[in-house]
Amino acid sequence: MDDALLGIVLERLAGKPLPPQAEDLLLAAIDNDNALAVQLNAPSAQRYPHAPTSAAGKDPVGAYLKSVTVTGFRGIGPQATLETAPGPGLALVVGRNGSGKSSFAEALEVLLTGTLLRWAPPAPSVVRNGWQSKHASAPTEVQAEFLIEGSGKATAGRSWAPGAEFQSSTAWLQRTGEKRTALSGLGWEADLKEYRPFLSHAELEAFFGRPSELYDLLASVLGLDDLANADKRLRAAQKEREDALADLKKRLAGLREKLLPLAGGDERARTCVAALAGGAPAQWDIQAAETAATGGTAGGAGESELAALRNLARLTPPPAAEADAAATDLRTAAACLREVAGSSAAHARDLANLLEAALAHHEAHGDGDCPVCGNRGALTPQWRAAAEQQRDRLHAQATAANQASAGVKHAAVRALLLITPVPTVLSPNGPVFDPVQTAAASSAWQRWAAPVTGDERVTVESLSTPEALDALAQHIETEFPALARAVASLAEAAGKDVARRDGNWSPVAAEVAAWCKDAKQALAENEAVPALKQARKWLTEANADLRDERLAPLAGKSRAIWAQLRQESSVDLGAFRLAGANTQRRLDLDVSIDGAPGAALGVMSQGEINALALSIFLPRATMPDSPFNFLVIDDPVQAMDPAKVDGLAKVLDSVAKDRQLIVFTHDNRLAAAVKDLSISATILEVTRQPRSRVTVRECLNASKQALRDAGAVNADEKVPAAVLARVVPGLCRTAVEAAFTEAFWRRQLRAGKTRAQIEAMTEGKRPRLVDTASLAFYGNADEGQRAIQDVERLWGAPFAGTLRALNRGTHSGYPGNLDDLISDSRRLVAKVSEALP
């Protein structure tokens, strides 16, 4: 946005503030798409760091058009050039339909904008497909030569490689003495939208198209495109969020239809149905639904039911190998106990230790009396041998008894660890699932756990006899197979039920999870909708005020132009307004027919509507802020009656006073009106030969027209001689003045002068002919006599003599031969064009 418009927006915000979030979104939307996207995703407390976005670089510069050269584009095959006189003035480019004249106008538009307005949708593709001439012998290229205010000559070009698509062109800018740069170096990007220097027939036809198209064409000139674009961004952001929420609700309806059949047998579905039962987003428990869909813990009895069912599916008895091993160990321990029955490991160990001491005594003291009982001569070698045997036998008995005791304890512990209590999942409060199989498994496990849960509980200490060990082994061998069968059957059935539930639930769960994810995002983004609405409402009111304020002066100019164009029309043009918004935007025109209010487009002829369109669009293209000193109008005469054609010629003459106006037309009536009304104009004729060879020739310019008129008046025998002596020299002088004036503008523009500077050189002056010559020669009007001297010195005395004769004025009449004066003036005009290019 330009700084001036931004200043207006900020000033209005100061007087009519918005809530912080709405203001931030408004300013971001005014900047660009990315700025709005970033602000929409920023934390709520983060303010928008707004800064002016005026483009850096050179200010846009104005220019006059000097030539357009076209190769292989539209109706032009081999290279053809249209030369125009840079500077204010009217040029008519005439030719029959199909001559290729409009191709020059369209080529210039494509060169500067990259496209054609008339190709915009809903134009059919066949209109766009013929952009390249079938008779081109070289690559398609468009060049235009401009005289730029402040810098002089510059050439812009756009070319296409062989076989390239229309949108794949290369554009460039070449200023005198500088390297080629991008076309953007002209600084016209925004102005080409705001002050289009092309008034094509497509724009005139907008009056017959959709009201919104006419609205947009007019709104573009008001300099409020940034506000309109901001509203489009805000509207798009709002619509995106509202559409997302509407889509969310639509998807939820379908999701509920899928959840309801599952809710009776799956608590996850029941949780989701309950969580998403409300009609408004505030009633949704998205977190609960997402948790249920993604396998988390949603809480409640339903969740424990499914968890318990999964526990049933995972339920297993003790490993069969462990049970078999435990029973074997018990029976082995029982057998060992029987083998050492009647022996005491402690008693045997004590006796063995006693004998070990006696043997040690004998070893130390030799044969002799027993030191314990006193038996004389008891310790002999024979005693020693028997004692050693007894000692070894007692040691063996103690070891066997110890091993049997350890085996019993190991077997008892191992067996009792396998015999676990009934799992909670098989309790009466467990899941409701196949009562028969559940009861069978529960009963089998109760029997299995009976030795450790009964009234007479089995413990490790109680398993000290072979009978107790054998009894526990018999319990394991008897109860384990029934337990394994019951539990396996129950787990398999529960597993199948879990698989069935998961199979039905998984696709719906994925859909619920995706919906919940989208819902979180949509609801988070939807929080910005109230602020977006506030920003849009504020912007709509501000745009309407500024629009009316800026449209008022354009409406006044349009009424003035209509007054000239209407001629014999009974329609009066009053105020017009841009009304409505979005898809309802339109142009409201106040008109009266013979003094009575009426509907403009409903009662006016096509010719009147064309004239009305020109009345409205010409002020747009000729606004003072426009950098374009040239204006190209294509085919404006459509369906106009002769009176309106005369009015159009006068309007064009008025516009051409300070603009270079180039008008393309196939209707000879406009050229005839220009000639009949003695309007100063250059007329160029375009003709097309076989294979799209287009040529341009000059039929008439201001100098030639004045000289032609001088000849016609001089040949009229009805005109008195005294009148001829005054009128003919005046027309000849007009011709020479036009030649010098054209040279003056051409040379000053090439030197880099601006239009304002050039106009200032003659402001408030009515220079004589020699003063105009001085302007052409030296760039100032104060050296007329020097100009005559230089004409004589450089061009010869005859030319200087003609200049002096024409400069004397026509008040007293020209005494010489008028035919010779006309011929001399024609030669002087030609010399000016030749010597002052």
Side-chain angles (χ1 to χ4, degrees):
M1 173 180 289
D2 64 80
D3 291 342
L5 188 55
L6 175 59
I8 293 173
V9 170
L10 295 176
E11 183 180 349
R12 290 180 67 93
L13 278 172
K16 188 177 181 181
L18 278 167
Q21 184 184 10
E23 179 179 315
D24 291 336
L25 293 176
L26 170 65
L27 294 175
I30 287 174
D31 273 357
N32 52 61
D33 291 316
N34 184 63
L36 178 59
V38 170
Q39 187 61 31
L40 283 166
N41 293 319
S44 58
Q46 180 175 313
R47 300 303 305 272
Y48 179 64
H50 182 74
T53 57
S54 53
K58 297 179 179 179
D59 291 333
V61 293
Y64 288 96
L65 180 66
K66 189 174 185 297
S67 67
V68 180
T69 300
V70 182
T71 303
F73 179 79
R74 300 289 289 153
I76 299 175
Q79 186 181 94
T81 299
L82 175 70
E83 295 274 358
T84 58
L90 174 62
L92 297 184
V93 183
V94 300
R96 61 178 177 78
N97 282 330
S99 64
K101 64 182 184 308
S102 291
S103 295
F104 285 108
E106 292 176 341
L108 182 62
E109 183 178 351
V110 166
L111 167 62
L112 294 181
T113 68
T115 188
L116 284 177
L117 182 66
R118 75 184 189 92
W119 286 358
S125 59
V126 68
V127 174
R128 301 187 294 272
N129 291 340
W131 68 275
Q132 203 165 28
S133 173
K134 304 301 181 184
H135 300 134
S137 57
T140 301
E141 184 173 35
V142 179
Q143 291 189 24
E145 193 175 22
F146 300 97
L147 292 183
I148 308 291
E149 290 185 348
S151 61
K153 178 182 173 182
T155 302
R158 186 180 293 274
S159 58
W160 292 261
E165 296 294 328
F166 174 75
Q167 62 270 20
S168 302
S169 63
T170 301
W172 49 268
L173 173 68
Q174 177 76 66
R175 296 181 187 272
T176 302
E178 299 180 8
K179 294 182 179 180
R180 278 191 177 185
T181 62
L183 190 60
S184 59
L186 285 170
W188 288 347
E189 288 88 346
D191 297 294
L192 282 167
K193 299 176 182 177
E194 196 164 319
Y195 309 109
R196 276 177 55 84
F198 318 105
L199 186 55
S200 66
H201 189 62
E203 290 182 83
L204 300 181
E205 287 180 334
F207 272 82
F208 303 97
R210 295 192 295 269
S212 58
E213 294 175 351
L214 182 57
Y215 177 103
D216 291 341
L217 285 169
L218 283 174
S220 65
V221 74
L222 302 180
L224 302 178
D225 279 353
D226 286 331
L227 298 186
N229 291 335
D231 183 62
K232 289 179 182 178
R233 294 183 185 111
L234 292 169
R235 183 171 71 248
Q238 177 185 336
K239 185 176 185 301
E240 179 184 1
R241 284 152 177 75
E242 291 176 339
D243 287 351
L245 191 57
D247 179 66
L248 205 62
K249 292 179 179 179
K250 183 178 179 181
R251 286 167 56 192
L252 180 57
L255 199 55
R256 285 170 176 159
E257 292 179 0
K258 296 178 181 179
L259 286 168
L260 286 172
L262 302 178
D266 197 313
E267 73 282 355
R268 295 167 296 186
R270 287 195 297 275
T271 298
C272 291
V273 169
L276 304 177
Q283 299 172 303
W284 300 337
D285 188 345
I286 295 175
Q287 187 58 54
E290 186 176 43
T291 300
T294 56
T297 301
E303 176 65 20
S304 62
E305 175 188 331
L306 181 61
L309 187 60
R310 293 187 187 281
N311 289 335
L312 283 178
R314 291 191 292 267
L315 185 65
T316 56
E322 287 290 320
D324 291 343
T328 300
D329 287 351
L330 288 171
R331 294 200 181 276
T332 300
C336 289
L337 281 181
R338 289 188 178 93
E339 289 180 4
V340 297
S343 65
S344 170
H347 180 67
R349 184 172 56 252
D350 290 342
L351 289 177
N353 290 337
L354 183 61
L355 286 175
E356 190 71 46
L359 288 170
H361 177 79
H362 181 265
E363 179 71 22
H365 301 284
D367 296 341
D369 297 337
C370 175
V372 176
C373 63
N375 189 7
R376 300 182 63 84
L379 304 181
T380 64
Q382 294 77 9
W383 170 85
R384 183 177 183 86
E388 287 178 344
Q389 290 180 355
Q390 178 70 8
R391 180 199 63 185
D392 292 341
R393 185 174 62 254
L394 290 171
H395 273 308
Q397 289 177 355
T399 298
N402 285 336
Q403 288 177 342
S405 177
V408 168
K409 184 175 182 180
H410 171 75
V413 169
R414 184 175 189 178
L416 293 179
L417 286 176
L418 291 178
I419 302 174
T420 58
V422 179
T424 305
V425 72
L426 291 177
S427 69
N429 296 325
V432 179
F433 174 75
D434 196 338
V436 174
Q437 291 196 73
T438 303
S442 178
S443 176
W445 208 301
Q446 287 174 0
R447 291 193 302 274
W448 168 256
V452 296
T453 59
D455 293 337
E456 297 182 1
R457 299 183 64 208
V458 174
T459 64
V460 172
E461 290 75 15
S462 67
L463 295 172
S464 58
T465 65
E467 293 75 18
L469 294 171
D470 286 336
L472 184 57
Q474 180 66 33
H475 174 81
I476 291 175
E477 292 167 346
T478 303
E479 300 299 334
F480 182 79
L483 172 67
R485 286 192 300 272
V487 170
S489 177
L490 175 62
E492 181 182 5
K496 289 180 179 179
D497 192 48
V498 169
R500 177 186 61 78
R501 294 192 189 197
D502 286 346
N504 293 335
W505 171 244
S506 292
V508 181
E511 194 171 342
V512 171
W515 184 92
C516 289
K517 179 181 178 181
D518 293 345
K520 287 181 176 180
Q521 180 177 349
L523 291 176
E525 292 180 347
N526 204 64
E527 292 176 359
V529 168
L532 287 168
K533 290 181 177 179
Q534 290 172 324
R536 287 194 61 207
K537 181 181 179 182
W538 187 98
L539 191 57
T540 299
E541 294 173 356
N543 195 37
D545 292 343
L546 291 172
R547 185 179 62 199
D548 293 343
E549 179 182 319
R550 295 189 175 189
L551 190 61
L554 288 183
K557 291 181 180 179
S558 294
R559 285 192 292 273
I561 294 174
W562 172 250
Q564 287 182 285
L565 282 177
R566 59 176 289 195
Q567 297 298 313
E568 299 173 3
S569 172
S570 59
V571 176
D572 283 323
L573 177 62
F576 57 84
R577 297 167 299 280
L578 295 175
N582 302 331
T583 58
Q584 301 301 316
R585 59 194 189 281
R586 66 191 183 279
L587 169 68
D588 284 344
L589 285 169
D590 289 343
V591 300
S592 60
I593 302 93
D594 292 328
L601 303 185
V603 300
M604 298 172 74
S605 67
Q606 182 176 342
E608 287 177 318
I609 292 176
N610 278 347
L612 179 62
L614 282 167
S615 300
I616 292 175
F617 287 131
L618 277 175
R620 182 198 71 178
T622 56
M623 291 184 71
D625 291 338
S626 170
F628 305 111
N629 297 329
F630 63 90
L631 175 60
V632 178
I633 303 178
D634 190 17
D635 210 6
V637 192
Q638 293 274 347
M640 288 187 179
D641 57 48
K644 288 186 177 56
V645 174
D646 288 346
L648 173 61
K650 294 176 181 177
V651 168
L652 297 178
D653 182 40
S654 176
V655 173
K657 289 291 189 293
D658 59 1
R659 295 274 171 170
Q660 181 187 14
L661 188 55
I662 306 164
V663 180
F664 293 81
T665 179
H666 71 278
D667 196 320
N668 291 329
R669 293 180 300 160
L670 182 56
V674 165
K675 295 174 185 177
D676 293 342
L677 296 171
S678 296
I679 293 174
S680 179
T682 297
I683 300 178
L684 304 171
E685 183 180 25
V686 179
T687 57
R688 184 171 181 269
Q689 316 243 335
R691 302 194 63 78
S692 300
R693 294 183 180 277
V694 173
T695 58
V696 183
R697 70 181 184 91
E698 186 180 272
C699 299
L700 188 68
N701 58 29
S703 296
K704 289 181 180 181
Q705 182 175 343
L707 291 171
R708 188 197 67 172
D709 292 343
V713 171
N714 191 43
D716 191 343
E717 297 178 353
K718 298 179 181 180
V719 180
V723 174
L724 291 175
R726 296 175 61 181
V727 173
V728 171
L731 291 170
C732 290
R733 173 179 172 143
T734 297
V736 176
E737 281 181 340
F740 275 125
T741 299
E742 185 176 314
F744 163 62
W745 273 87
R746 183 169 57 242
R747 289 160 67 87
Q748 294 303 314
L749 287 168
R750 190 178 295 116
K753 293 287 196 303
T754 66
R755 182 176 70 175
Q757 290 171 328
I758 297 171
E759 290 174 342
M761 294 178 184
T762 59
E763 187 175 357
K765 301 176 183 178
R766 298 193 59 175
R768 297 173 300 161
L769 173 58
V770 293
D771 298 332
T772 305
S774 176
L775 285 167
F777 271 101
Y778 318 118
N780 66 75
D782 302 327
E783 301 186 61
Q785 291 306 311
R786 178 188 170 195
I788 295 176
Q789 292 170 5
D790 279 348
V791 167
E792 185 170 3
R793 179 174 60 86
L794 298 173
W795 299 352
F799 289 109
T802 303
L803 184 58
R804 288 189 182 96
L806 294 175
N807 192 55
R808 292 190 189 101
T810 59
H811 298 292
S812 59
Y814 180 72
N817 185 288
L818 293 177
D819 286 333
D820 291 341
L821 181 62
I822 293 172
S823 298
D824 293 342
S825 298
R826 183 173 290 110
R827 283 191 290 273
L828 179 56
V829 166
K831 189 64 176 178
V832 171
S833 298
E834 174 193 338
L836 300 174

